[in-house]
């Protein structure tokens, strides 16, 4: 008898898919309804923030947000700092970073600073920034990422709130029809029938 046994091939292992926590993002097995928005959310000398669209799932909304930054009279260093520190802010002044939030139709206020913790089954709504990509050159930069709102809001008006002090954008609000989003959720379909 040998001291070492044959290693199990990890490729032969069949695992159960873990239960999805909807506070962290949309279902991966659902085809959302797409609501085109194309709304300018905020404008300053160096930046424009656009709410591009909403992908509506059965249990939440994934908003696509794009940010367009132009260098203008900024130095190369200032421009690089804006395009690379916008999400988290510099260690010197995190309050100047890009911040987003929402006022739900029922009056609940949420923002992207709250991180869904381990409290499974929590009833608090969440707004989570997800993913993102961007690129540009020495004079212009574009970045897109997503905001996941869970659960679906109730019918009424949804107010999205943005502030980006590093680019001279004070608190700015944009109203979207939550009623239209809730109705669009009926069009979301499962990718598989089982």
């Amino acid at each position: 008898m040998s001291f070492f046994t044959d290693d199990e091939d990890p490729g032969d292992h069949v695992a159960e898919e873990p239960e999805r926590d909807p506070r962290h993002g949309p279902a991966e097995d659902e085809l959302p309804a797409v609501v085109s928005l194309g709304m300018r959310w905020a404008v300053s000398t160096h930046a424009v923030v656009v709410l591009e669209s909403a992908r509506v799932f059965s249990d939440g909304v994934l908003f696509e947000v794009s940010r367009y930054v132009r260098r203008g009279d900024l130095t190369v260093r200032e421009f690089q700092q804006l395009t690379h520190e916008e999400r988290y802010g510099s260690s010197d002044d995190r309050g100047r970073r890009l911040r987003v939030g929402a006022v739900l139709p029922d009056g609940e206020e949420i923002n992207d600073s709250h991180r869904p913790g381990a409290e499974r089954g929590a009833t608090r709504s969440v707004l989570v920034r997800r993913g993102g990509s961007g690129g540009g050159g020495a004079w212009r930069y574009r970045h897109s990422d997503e905001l996941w709102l869970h659960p679906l809001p109730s019918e009424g008006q949804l107010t999205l709130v943005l502030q980006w002090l590093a680019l001279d954008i004070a608190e700015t609000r944009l109203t979207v029809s939550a009623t239209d989003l809730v109705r669009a959720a009926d069009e979301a379909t499962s990718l598989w029938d089982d």
Side-chain angles (χ1 to χ4, degrees):
M1 177 176 204
S2 173
F3 176 81
F4 295 100
T5 60
D6 290 337
D7 289 337
E8 184 179 318
D9 185 345
D12 292 336
H13 181 68
V14 177
E16 286 189 34
E17 186 174 357
E19 183 181 338
R20 173 181 163 257
D21 184 343
R23 296 170 304 147
H24 294 279
E28 295 174 351
D29 60 353
E30 195 170 283
L31 183 63
V34 178
V35 177
S36 179
L37 297 169
M39 303 168 76
R40 278 198 315 186
W41 190 349
V43 179
S44 75
T45 301
H46 294 286
V48 176
V49 181
V50 176
L51 182 61
E52 302 277 0
S53 64
R55 287 180 285 179
V56 186
F57 292 79
S58 61
D59 63 355
V61 182
L62 193 63
F63 293 103
E64 182 183 351
V65 179
S66 294
R67 295 179 303 286
Y68 301 85
V69 180
R70 64 182 179 183
R71 182 171 155 198
D73 60 353
L74 298 173
T75 66
V76 171
R77 184 177 317 280
E78 290 169 331
F79 184 66
Q80 289 174 340
Q81 285 175 330
L82 287 176
T83 58
H84 297 291
E85 295 179 355
E86 55 80 28
R87 184 162 188 164
Y88 304 105
S90 70
S91 57
D92 298 333
D93 191 0
R94 288 191 33 82
R96 295 178 51 79
R97 69 180 170 82
L98 174 64
R99 295 174 166 186
V100 292
V103 181
L104 304 180
D106 65 4
E108 180 182 5
E109 295 181 359
I110 56 176
N111 65 60
D112 67 333
S113 294
H114 172 76
R115 296 287 178 248
E119 68 281 0
R120 245 195 182 326
T123 58
R124 175 179 159 85
S125 298
V126 295
L127 184 68
V128 180
R129 287 177 69 182
R130 297 174 36 93
S133 64
W139 292 97
R140 299 200 186 281
Y141 189 85
R142 178 181 186 267
H143 189 276
S144 292
D145 61 8
E146 301 166 328
L147 295 172
W148 171 244
L149 172 62
H150 172 80
L152 277 172
S154 57
E155 292 190 5
Q157 296 298 311
L158 170 66
T159 303
L160 297 171
V161 185
L162 174 137
Q163 176 180 290
W164 196 359
L165 297 179
L167 280 169
D168 298 322
I169 296 176
E171 186 176 297
T172 304
R173 294 172 181 249
L174 179 68
T175 302
V176 176
S177 170
T179 302
D180 291 346
L181 299 176
V182 170
R183 289 181 182 150
D186 291 336
E187 299 174 26
T189 58
S190 176
L191 293 175
W192 289 275
D193 292 332
D194 57 351

